[in-house]
Amino acid sequence: MADLFAEPESIAAPAPAGPLADRLRPTTLAEVVGQAHLTGPDGAIGRMVAAGKLSSMILWGPPGTGKTTIARLLAAAVGLRYAQISAVFSGVADLKKVFAEARDHVRLGKRTLLFVDEIHRFNRAQQDGFLPYVEDGTVTLVGATTENPSFELNAALMSRAQVLILHRLDAAALEELLARGEAVEGRALPLDAAARAALVASADGDGRFLLNQAETLFSIELPAPLDPAGLSALLQRRVAVYDKDREGHYNLISALHKSLRGSDPQAALYYMARMLTAGEEPLYVLRRLTRFASEDIGLADPQALVQCLAAKDAYEFLGSPEGELAIVQACLYLATAPKSNAAYKAQKAAFKAARETGSLMPPPSILNAPTRLMKDIGYGKDYAYDHDRADGFSGADYWPEEMGARRFYEPTERGFEKRIAERMAWWDERRQTS
């Protein structure tokens, strides 16, 4: 049985003069920070290592959370040969070479753990190329990805590999890395408590980034510990992880939409700020806000849609950054407006009925009759002109005879829709007596 905490024989000790992140690279799975839910005794990886047998897996998590390190340590922990390729730099020829070498080692009694970094960057055909070698045991595949495997990897490959999710490193894990760095360097970071907290926050859960920043601080002689302002001036600002065509994009817009729906203006502003400060196109945010105004507010507050369109005009007129305040105003208006999805539900119900009923004729009385023939066959006959009635309401039947009246729109008791509901109830009562 493999020892989870044994020193991996095939992992060379980092060079004393190497980068700090390399010098602190874990030599056992127990030293990996922030991923105990996987590497601990009760975690999926911990159990596999304890049993001495690995299944193929996809390690999915943000940058700097230990995916490559875990793969290296796994090979050593269960006695597999370790091979690594990157989908960024490798092609079909590289894959064929790796698989050929793996088969040669199988003949010698040594199986291979093949670590594929950025596996989502391989196209579908290249991903299919892994299947026979995974199925016959030539390689145990460990793929690493920062993107949602559900969207980026073939279903056939996904069915043969277990997806394990690595967590973004929390403040405690990042503090542990800083403490290890200080132990290796033999001195404390030149930061006051507030600056240290700011450094941890700036890492955005990325341990490698944090250690690179710490190494920069260790390399500089400072007369006194830095405060947050001094730290900000010295170190580069970290850009939030956000790809506009990837999962982070959809996660944040989902969070924004649901915060608005939940009438939480503070959370809505936060997620909107996350998107805009990460470089999202402001007009995309405005499009989503405008959709929300119709889908989740509708006639509960008809001004919601007006506010969004006005914000769009203001942004196009002012540009960034001045015009972004108009987007903020629209966001706050939507979050604090009364909510109703009655119009959204009515649309779906009406569209469904239109598809199901086909080409039913409206009642002849409400059809125009521009020709004598149309008049002769009854078009427009007995049409009740509502304005001729004292209350401006005729109560006529406007539905196709074969279909009958239906109800698609049911206003809520919230906001302006409460008044609409009262008006509709008044009309319904008069229809029944007309």
Side-chain angles (χ1 to χ4, degrees):
M1 179 181 296
D3 184 357
L4 180 62
F5 305 102
E7 182 78 9
E9 297 178 355
S10 63
I11 305 297
L20 181 61
D22 284 346
R23 285 182 282 152
L24 291 179
R25 191 179 294 278
T27 56
T28 68
L29 286 167
E31 295 177 5
V32 176
V33 300
Q35 310 303 338
H37 65 292
L38 295 178
T39 60
D42 295 326
I45 289 175
R47 290 179 181 275
M48 283 189 277
V49 170
K53 185 175 182 180
L54 296 182
S55 62
S56 291
M57 66 186 76
I58 303 297
L59 302 178
W60 172 28
T65 51
K67 297 184 289 294
T68 304
T69 295
I70 288 174
R72 288 167 54 85
L73 295 175
L74 275 173
V78 298
L80 294 179
R81 168 181 171 266
Y82 180 78
Q84 176 176 341
I85 60 173
S86 169
V88 177
F89 302 109
S90 303
V92 174
D94 302 290
L95 290 174
K96 288 181 177 179
K97 181 180 178 182
V98 167
F99 293 140
E101 291 175 348
R103 282 208 160 141
D104 290 341
H105 281 85
V106 168
R107 297 187 188 100
L108 299 175
K110 189 77 169 180
R111 296 192 179 274
T112 297
L113 184 152
L114 174 60
F115 175 65
V116 183
D117 198 16
E118 304 286 345
I119 190 170
H120 62 277
R121 294 185 181 271
F122 277 132
N123 63 37
R124 302 287 176 173
Q126 289 169 321
Q127 291 178 31
D128 284 340
F130 288 95
L131 299 180
Y133 302 98
V134 171
E135 288 177 342
D136 67 12
T138 301
V139 299
T140 297
L141 175 66
V142 178
T145 178
T146 56
E147 301 298 332
N148 190 327
S150 301
F151 302 143
E152 304 296 337
L153 300 184
N154 283 1
L157 186 58
M158 288 277 287
S159 69
R160 292 162 175 80
Q162 184 176 359
V163 176
L164 303 180
I165 302 174
L166 279 73
H167 292 165
R168 175 182 180 275
L169 298 187
D170 60 17
L174 294 171
E175 278 286 358
E176 172 64 22
L177 290 179
L178 288 184
R180 292 182 188 181
E182 290 172 325
V184 166
E185 292 288 336
R187 57 196 174 100
L189 283 166
L191 303 173
D192 66 18
R196 188 183 184 95
L199 178 65
V200 169
S202 73
D204 196 24
D206 186 334
R208 182 170 50 246
F209 177 88
L210 179 72
L211 291 176
N212 289 341
Q213 298 290 63
E215 186 168 32
T216 299
L217 292 168
F218 281 129
S219 68
I220 300 172
E221 294 295 334
L222 297 169
L226 296 171
D227 61 10
L231 177 68
S232 178
L234 179 65
L235 297 179
Q236 63 188 31
R237 174 181 175 273
R238 179 167 175 79
V239 178
V241 176
Y242 183 80
D243 291 320
K244 288 187 282 186
D245 62 342
R246 302 285 181 165
E247 194 198 11
H249 163 85
Y250 297 107
N251 286 345
L252 288 183
I253 198 60
S254 177
L256 171 60
H257 196 119
K258 291 177 175 63
S259 299
L260 291 169
R261 182 180 291 154
S263 299
D264 189 333
Q266 318 302 344
L269 273 179
Y270 168 71
Y271 289 118
M272 189 186 72
R274 283 272 303 273
M275 298 180 76
L276 292 176
T277 58
E280 181 57 81
E281 172 58 49
L283 287 175
Y284 171 79
V285 176
L286 280 164
R287 285 194 293 272
R288 301 315 306 164
L289 294 180
T290 303
R291 166 66 186 192
F292 179 90
S294 292
E295 179 179 341
D296 287 274
I297 296 175
L299 291 175
D301 186 346
Q303 282 296 313
L305 185 58
V306 177
Q307 284 281 329
C308 290
L309 295 176
K312 187 263 298 182
D313 289 344
Y315 177 78
E316 290 180 334
F317 183 56
L318 295 174
S320 291
E322 290 87 351
E324 288 168 4
L325 183 57
I327 307 177
V328 169
Q329 178 178 327
C331 178
L332 290 172
Y333 193 100
L334 299 182
T336 55
K339 305 301 188 296
S340 170
N341 70 341
Y344 176 57
K345 292 167 65 177
Q347 179 202 13
K348 293 198 296 183
F351 280 36
K352 181 174 183 289
R355 288 190 294 268
E356 291 174 348
T357 56
S359 304
L360 297 181
M361 264 309 259
S365 63
I366 64 171
L367 301 179
N368 287 333
T371 70
R372 179 170 295 278
L373 173 61
M374 297 168 80
K375 289 180 181 178
D376 290 344
I377 62 176
Y379 281 27
K381 183 180 180 181
D382 299 326
Y383 169 60
Y385 187 58
D386 291 76
H387 295 293
D388 287 341
R389 303 299 173 94
D391 54 12
F393 180 73
S394 68
D397 183 357
Y398 300 100
W399 291 88
E401 183 178 346
E402 302 92 332
M403 181 178 176
R406 297 194 188 179
R407 293 186 71 87
F408 303 127
Y409 176 51
E410 295 288 354
T412 68
E413 290 294 312
R414 296 184 291 276
F416 185 71
E417 276 196 322
K418 183 175 183 180
R419 293 171 58 188
I420 295 175
E422 293 170 353
R423 199 177 303 154
M424 290 176 63
W426 186 86
W427 286 327
D428 286 342
E429 182 181 349
R430 276 150 185 78
R431 281 195 185 93
Q432 292 171 9
T433 59
S434 64

